Amino acid sequence: MNFETRCVHTGVDKDKAFNSCTTPIYTSSTFSWDTLTTNKGFDYTRSGNPTRRALEENLASLEGGIDCRATCTGMAAITTSMYLFKPGDHIIAGHDIYGGTYRLFANVLTEQGLQFSFVNMQDMANIKAAIRPNTKGIWIETPSNPLLNIIDIAAITSIAKAANLLTIADNTFLSPYLQRPFELGVDVVVHSTTKYLNGHSDVVGGCVITRTKEHADRISYITNALGLACSPFDAWLVLRGVKTLGPRMEAHQKGAMAVARFLAAHPKVEHVYYPGLETHPQHALAKKQQKGFGAMLSFDVKGGRPEAERVMENLQVFQLAESLGGVESLVEYPETMSHASMSLEARRAAGISERTIRVSIGIEHPDDLVAGLKHALTFA
Ligand SMILES: *Cc1c(COP(=O)(O)O)cnc(C)c1O
């Protein structure tokens, strides 16, 4: 079956009791056994739940994996995946990864004995140079946040294969509709389902998707042992959201392209960061490894912080809020919001200035989004 059809049906219509067309929410924490050794496949909701299982089957299918575990947040999914490593292992990650992931790696997991190198992954030489005798994995996140740098997934997995390293990709920014890391050789895929997979800004969640039995068994064991699975109600919300993933992503992208082109031509805008623009340095790579350019973009306003502030204070349609991937368009200021936990030097080194504004394009009509920004930019 095709992708859009699997979004709607995989895992969903399995209720044998009443033939319900959508998945029931099984809130039960426990399930009774038929005999001392047999049950109907579920015994306790931390370990497994029919509603959560429906979501997991759906997401595994969309990424092209063999199994999935749905977790209570994206960070819980990332935490779970890092248990594929052991104390003493060294992992290479990008220098511009999601802030929460950087915090987990640099401040928490290093205390548990893992070692990290954060390098600019646009240059494969940096990755090769970072490999040590105890290197066991490479963390992949593309496009990057907030500047939409693209890294070459296939080139990284070929380095990883040669050095026998595990690759884990955070595919949150594009969703499996636009990018499928398994097809480019990645071993494990994680998501914050909070973003495009749920798509309606009304739940936080995550998932870990695997493609070998060995990794599937380990991830299943760890999610249960750590107790990081999501609630049946949250699973149901994400399953409901994911049914419209394809049409939503198309609408998101259409708006993003219109906004990117408008901003690129605007006299008060200095630079637009969007892989869909021919001027983006990795436009060709994005075209090759993605099935579309996504709906995240950033731009630098001419001037400085006062100009950026006036734009954000005078927005129409857009709301000033963190997060992304929902049907409503959001604008946020990396300097004081999403990237405030980075040091000033680290922000500047990553190319984030006080003129930088990040935008998550929703599914509103592109004309209204352009009008909203046009209005705001008259104050810049
Ligand atoms: C939001 C996000 C996360 C963290 O997910 P939560 O659901 O907020 O825990 C991880 N990676 C990326 C790329 C994200 O955008």
Side-chain angles (χ1 to χ4, degrees), residues 21-102:
C21 292
T22 65
T23 310
I25 309 176
Y26 292 91
T27 57
S28 195
S29 57
T30 186
F31 298 84
S32 62
W33 292 58
D34 297 321
T35 71
L36 291 185
T37 52
T38 59
N39 57 45
K40 298 218 155 38
F42 296 97
D43 55 17
Y44 186 61
T45 278
R46 167 161 44 74
S47 327
N49 174 280
T51 311
R52 192 193 303 132
R53 199 63 202 139
L55 172 66
E56 291 168 341
E57 282 179 23
N58 188 295
L59 298 179
S61 162
L62 299 185
E63 278 291 0
I66 63 160
D67 200 12
C68 169
R69 282 294 176 266
T71 56
C72 54
T73 63
M75 289 316 301
I78 294 171
T79 302
T80 301
S81 72
M82 293 312 283
Y83 275 81
L84 293 170
F85 300 109
K86 299 211 160 42
D89 288 356
H90 170 250
I91 296 118
I92 302 167
H95 70 319
D96 50 2
I97 56 174
Y98 178 73
T101 308
Y102 178 81

Side-chain angles (χ1 to χ4, degrees), residues 73-75 78 98 101 141 170 172-173 192 194-195 204-205 324:
T73 63
M75 289 316 301
I78 294 171
Y98 178 73
T101 308
E141 195 185 308
D170 181 337
T172 302
F173 258 45
S192 166
T194 312
K195 317 296 169 51
V204 286
L324 58 117

